[in-house]
Amino acid sequence: MRPAAFITGITGMAVVAGLLMAGEARLGGGTAGEETASAEATASAPTGAAPEAGEPAAMSDDRAEMIARSVEPAEPPAPGPGDAVAPQPADAPQRSETAAGQTASPAAKKPMELARPMVENAGILSFGERRLQLAGIVPTPVDRICGPAGRQWPCGMMAKTALRLLLRNRAVTCDLQTVEWKETVTTACRLGTEDLSAWLAENGWAEPAAGSPLTSVAEKARQAGKGLYGDDPRRN
């Protein structure tokens, strides 16, 4: 081989190698420059700016809390004065309780006819096992004795007899809530239009209860010496 051709080949190879090295350096420098520019742009970007596609988003605790609240179900607005509010299931117990309270409340009294009353004393009637006390008076015990010594008489028994003779097994009308009561009830009763309590007080066969409107009537009977306040009617 000629020396000139050999030198020319070596020189060409050196040139090619130099060009390759230069190109590699150029490519490396460009990538580094782009990375530096990207870092500077990121540092200079305003806080909270939206990240570009493909980049992970950095998030603070406050922002995470804000986002969590924004996705929670919103509370319904409070109803206005004119807004109709549909009943909620929680209202059911209250309605049931109210209904139960209304059911348990005492019913209004109304006149009820009671047949064949039995007289226990001047003030208490019985209908089988049910007992009824006449309102406004104090029942006169059957064993009550009236009159001064030497002239005493069984005024309690006489008072019972007087009421029994008035009724003569006729039906009476009494103000009751129900005809099937359990305990002794106190109420007004009438024979026709005659109030039994008033009749006993007017004739002196029963004393008025405290605060009774029959007090003045009973006082007139006492002054007139009727019934319990008089003498033995059997001696008249």
Side-chain angles (χ1 to χ4, degrees):
M1 178 180 295
R2 294 180 180 179
F6 177 77
I7 294 173
T8 301
I10 293 299
T11 302
M13 293 175 62
V15 171
V16 171
L19 291 175
L20 291 175
M21 293 177 63
E24 183 179 357
R26 182 178 180 85
L27 291 174
T31 304
E34 289 177 0
E35 292 178 354
T36 304
S38 176
E40 293 176 355
T42 303
S44 61
T47 304
E52 296 181 359
E55 296 183 359
M59 184 180 299
S60 64
D61 293 341
D62 294 340
R63 182 170 178 80
E65 182 179 357
M66 184 182 302
I67 295 175
R69 289 180 177 178
S70 66
V71 299
E72 291 178 355
E75 296 182 359
D83 296 339
V85 180
Q88 300 297 324
D91 296 337
Q94 182 177 359
R95 290 196 300 269
S96 300
E97 181 179 353
T98 303
Q102 292 177 352
T103 303
S105 62
K109 291 183 178 181
K110 55 184 178 181
M112 297 184 183
E113 187 176 277
L114 302 175
R116 302 181 63 84
M118 299 295 294
V119 178
E120 292 195 6
N121 57 35
I124 294 181
L125 306 178
S126 62
F127 304 85
E129 297 181 354
R130 296 167 297 168
R131 301 173 73 248
L132 185 151
Q133 179 175 328
L134 299 177
I137 61 171
V138 177
T140 304
V142 177
D143 57 355
R144 179 170 176 175
I145 303 298
C146 298
R151 300 183 60 183
Q152 295 180 340
W153 58 284
C155 57
M157 180 60 69
M158 293 298 297
K160 172 184 176 179
T161 302
L163 180 58
R164 183 171 56 82
L165 292 176
L166 173 68
L167 298 181
R168 289 181 294 176
N169 289 329
R170 289 178 291 178
V172 296
T173 302
C174 302
D175 299 332
L176 297 168
Q177 298 173 5
T178 175
V179 294
E180 298 297 335
W181 69 89
K182 300 296 184 181
E183 301 177 356
T184 302
V185 296
T186 301
T187 190
C189 291
R190 296 167 296 279
L191 177 65
T193 59
E194 183 77 51
D195 184 86
L196 299 184
S197 298
W199 185 87
L200 289 171
E202 290 173 357
N203 290 276
W205 292 120
E207 296 177 341
S212 172
L214 298 175
T215 300
S216 59
V217 175
E219 178 60 23
K220 292 180 181 180
R222 187 187 69 80
Q223 294 177 0
K226 294 182 178 181
L228 307 177
Y229 312 106
D231 295 328
D232 188 345
R234 296 172 300 178
R235 297 177 182 177
N236 295 337

